[in-house]
Structure formats: structure tokens, C-alpha cells
Amino acid sequence: MEVTRERAWETLTRYTKSEALLRHALAVEASVGSYAQRAGDDEELWRATALLHDFDYEIHPTLDQHPQDGAAILREEGWPEEVVEAVLSHAEHLEMPRDTPLKRTLFACDELSGFVHACGLVRPTGLDGLEPKSVKKKLKQPSFAAGVHRDEVYAGAELLGLELDEHIRNVIAALQPIAPELGLRTAADAPAA
Ligand SMILES: [Fe+2]
Ligand SMILES: [Fe+2]
């Protein structure tokens, strides 16, 4: 099959109705897509993979099923192994090697996109004006976005060979253009002082 972002969206939305999960998929897609552009790699394939990485989470909410039972569905639908393997590799419990740039990027963007998104949601100007420094400060507050695995955020930047600041800055920049889709305010929405 031809791998397109549109086809991935179609598969994702067939299995996922939760707005929070769809927003997570869009955020990870935006981050992974921006890294594909930087690397001059196959942006369409990377975006499709990012959209699909948690496509089965709503029907398989536990780690004895997600994402391995989802992978079986993707194979049945004819998604290429490159996509399926990358989807599988995002899961820490499967302990698969992250031996391609796509696998490394997906892992590195998964938790951090969610975290940056959460940072934007509590600011009156959303992501506008958000600095890596304040994201790092929030990473050190265990109660903020407690579901985000901090160790995976740090490991992800290292896997990409990037300073955490740079990785955070890249993810903020990737999410800014889709702020409305992510339910985020922007500087234009902030009340005048
Ligand atoms: Fe997942
Ligand atoms: Fe995810």
C-alpha cells in the first residue's frame, strides 16, 4: 500500500474517538514531521507512523495488548513492516532496538510532545513565549503532568544526540502551528494587560 498521512489518519480515527488521544497523535505527528524535514527523510512515512503509534490504545489500554495487538491489525491492513516495527519500538516494555532514525525520533517525541502540550495548556499564551528553561523546571515537578515518564524524555534527547534544550525548542516550534487543533491558546488570545 502507499503510505500516506491521510490513510494513517483514517486508520487512527476508525479506532480512536477520544479527543485527548487524537490530540496526542497530532502533537507527536507534528514533532516527528519536523524532524523528518530536518533530516531530509520521508516526511509522509514518518508522519503516518507517528499518527499510528497509539492508534490501538483506546481498544488496547493495557501493556499486555498495546501496541503489540495493534501491530497485528496494522499488518492485516497492509501497513509496511517499516511502519509496524517503528510503532512497536515506541513501547519500552517490548525492549526492541531503536535502530533507525524514525524509531529514535518517534521515541524521543512521544513523551516530550505530551509534556510540552501540557505546559502550553496551563499558560494564557499557550506555547507562545514558552522557553525550554520553564519546561525543564516543570519536568522537575513530579506532580505536573505526572503521567509523563521523565526518564523517557531525557533518554529521548540523548538518543537523538541533542541537548535537552534544543530538543524542547524543536518540539515547541513544531507544535506552535497546530496550537488550535491542540486546544491551545496563543498570544493573540491573551487578554490585554
Ligand atoms: Fe503507546
Ligand atoms: Fe504516545
Coordinates of all heavy atoms in Angstrom, one line a residue, residues 53-54 57 66-67 90 110, ligand 1:
H53 N 1.1 5.5 16.1 CA 1.8 4.8 17.2 C 0.9 4.4 18.3 O 1.2 3.3 18.9 CB 3.0 5.6 17.6 CG 2.7 6.7 18.7 ND1 2.2 7.9 18.3 CD2 2.9 6.7 20.0 CE1 2.0 8.6 19.4 NE2 2.4 7.9 20.5
D54 N -0.1 5.2 18.6 CA -1.0 4.8 19.7 C -2.4 4.5 19.2 O -3.4 4.6 19.9 CB -1.1 5.9 20.8 CG 0.1 5.9 21.7 OD1 0.7 4.9 21.9 OD2 0.3 7.0 22.3
Y57 N -4.7 2.3 21.3 CA -4.6 2.5 22.8 C -6.1 2.5 23.3 O -6.3 1.9 24.4 CB -3.9 3.8 23.1 CG -3.6 3.8 24.6 CD1 -2.5 3.1 25.1 CD2 -4.3 4.7 25.5 CE1 -2.2 3.1 26.5 CE2 -4.0 4.7 26.8 CZ -3.0 3.9 27.3 OH -2.7 4.0 28.6
H66 N -1.2 -3.3 24.2 CA -0.7 -2.2 23.4 C 0.8 -2.2 23.4 O 1.4 -2.2 24.5 CB -1.3 -0.9 24.0 CG -0.6 0.3 23.5 ND1 -0.8 0.8 22.2 CD2 0.4 1.2 24.0 CE1 0.0 1.9 22.0 NE2 0.7 2.1 23.0
P67 N 1.4 -2.0 22.3 CA 0.9 -1.9 21.0 C 1.0 -3.2 20.2 O 0.7 -3.2 19.0 CB 1.8 -0.8 20.3 CG 3.1 -1.1 20.9 CD 2.9 -1.6 22.3
H90 N 8.2 1.9 19.9 CA 8.0 3.1 20.9 C 7.7 2.6 22.3 O 7.8 3.3 23.2 CB 6.9 4.0 20.4 CG 5.5 3.7 20.9 ND1 4.6 2.9 20.1 CD2 4.8 4.1 22.0 CE1 3.5 2.8 20.8 NE2 3.5 3.5 21.9
D110 N 7.6 11.2 21.6 CA 6.3 10.7 22.2 C 6.0 11.4 23.6 O 5.1 12.2 23.7 CB 6.4 9.2 22.4 CG 5.1 8.5 22.8 OD1 4.1 9.2 22.8 OD2 5.1 7.3 23.0
Ligands
FE1 FE 2.0 4.0 23.3

